Amino acid sequence: MAPSISLKNVSVHFPIYGAGAISLKKTLAASVTGGRVGKETGIRVVQALHGISFELKGGDKLGLVGHNGAGKTTLLRLLAGVYEPSAGQFERHGTIASLIDPSLGIEPDATGLENIMLRGLVMGLSKKEIERLAPGICEFSGLGEYLDMPVRTYSTGMMMRLAFSISTSVQADILLMDEWLSVGDAAFTARAEQRMREVVSRSGILVLASHQPALIAAECNRVINLEHGRIVAQETVQVIDKQ
């Protein structure tokens, strides 16, 4: 089946229990952290997403724009299956590669090699598939002998290199990204940039959240503008020729 995503009037609400003890100041502050604050059956809720509707098919590259707290990351997590809709209909067909947080699932006390196996299992790969991919992941990471050491001994850059190398090693139908990742030193960043372009070119659908208008214009043919968890504008755009 061809990759596709369909959302019809989808909302995501997070209940806040014990909200009666929250001051008015804190309540107002909460209202700008991804949605609006409301009440349902006496329980205060944050309306992180409200009434979201759109459809994507193979070849669509959607850019998500909006201020911090507009709901971009929440929408990506919904598409990844991290969150379930509170209301509406959500359908997704195709395998997912999520770069919302490439370090998610990394175990600090395990070695780099052990984390390749652990992260691969979390991504739904079989042990044989991970063993087949592992040499390429190790080579691309450039971590060498550090792969035999616990990840808690890594610098932040080293940990991100490992996580990025694992996350981008698998072919997927749908690629979800929170900003265009740049990790490590200049040499690795250049290789990461090339790897990302290869992953994007292979994926059937791209959903990219970013604060960089030039990046959205260069990579996406559709744009959705979010504000307080609602779509305030949708448009189809012409992708800039990168040749």
Side-chain angles (χ1 to χ4, degrees):
M1 180 179 294
S4 65
I5 294 173
S6 175
L7 287 82
K8 297 180 180 178
N9 202 31
V10 168
S11 298
V12 174
H13 298 165
F14 299 120
I16 304 176
Y17 298 98
I22 300 176
S23 69
L24 175 61
K25 181 178 179 180
K26 290 181 179 180
T27 300
L28 292 175
S31 70
V32 296
T33 59
R36 299 182 182 276
V37 174
K39 287 185 178 179
E40 291 181 359
T41 63
I43 299 173
R44 190 172 298 278
V45 298
V46 172
Q47 300 174 354
L49 295 174
H50 188 78
I52 303 295
S53 297
F54 63 83
E55 293 188 0
L56 300 175
K57 60 183 185 305
D60 282 334
K61 292 179 169 53
L62 174 66
L64 302 178
V65 300
H67 57 75
N68 288 333
K72 302 186 299 296
T73 300
T74 300
L75 179 52
L76 286 174
R77 289 174 177 169
L78 170 72
L79 298 178
V82 177
Y83 298 149
E84 291 287 337
S86 303
Q89 297 180 343
F90 167 46
E91 292 187 10
R92 185 194 68 210
H93 299 285
T95 55
I96 291 284
S98 175
L99 290 174
I100 302 172
D101 181 359
S103 63
L104 187 66
I106 294 294
E107 173 53 55
D109 289 326
T111 67
L113 288 171
E114 289 169 339
N115 267 291
I116 291 174
M117 178 62 69
L118 292 171
R119 180 64 182 265
L121 293 173
V122 169
M123 293 167 64
L125 301 176
S126 68
K127 185 177 179 180
K128 282 190 174 181
E129 287 175 316
I130 300 168
E131 290 173 346
R132 177 178 58 83
L133 293 171
I137 294 172
C138 294
E139 181 180 359
F140 187 85
S141 74
L143 292 173
E145 62 186 16
Y146 288 101
L147 289 166
D148 293 316
M149 299 175 63
V151 169
R152 59 181 165 77
T153 66
Y154 290 14
S155 67
T156 299
M158 292 168 64
M159 186 273 292
M160 291 298 292
R161 285 169 68 156
L162 175 64
F164 179 88
S165 301
I166 299 170
S167 298
T168 58
S169 65
V170 180
Q171 170 65 37
D173 299 318
I174 301 169
L175 176 63
L176 308 176
M177 296 180 61
D178 200 350
E179 292 293 353
W180 191 271
L181 297 174
S182 294
V183 290
D185 54 32
F188 186 81
T189 296
R191 288 194 291 133
E193 179 84 4
Q194 179 60 34
R195 169 71 73 92
M196 283 310 311
R197 299 223 176 262
E198 292 172 357
V199 171
V200 169
S201 67
R202 294 197 307 263
S203 64
I205 294 174
L206 168 69
V207 184
L208 168 65
S210 180
H211 292 284
Q212 303 177 53
L215 175 61
I216 293 292
E219 302 299 333
C220 302
N221 56 16
R222 294 179 59 184
V223 178
I224 283 179
N225 191 342
L226 291 169
E227 184 174 317
H228 295 298
R230 299 173 183 264
I231 295 177
V232 294
Q234 293 193 58
E235 62 178 326
T236 301
V237 296
Q238 183 174 359
V239 179
I240 296 174
D241 187 354
K242 297 185 285 290
Q243 298 300 321

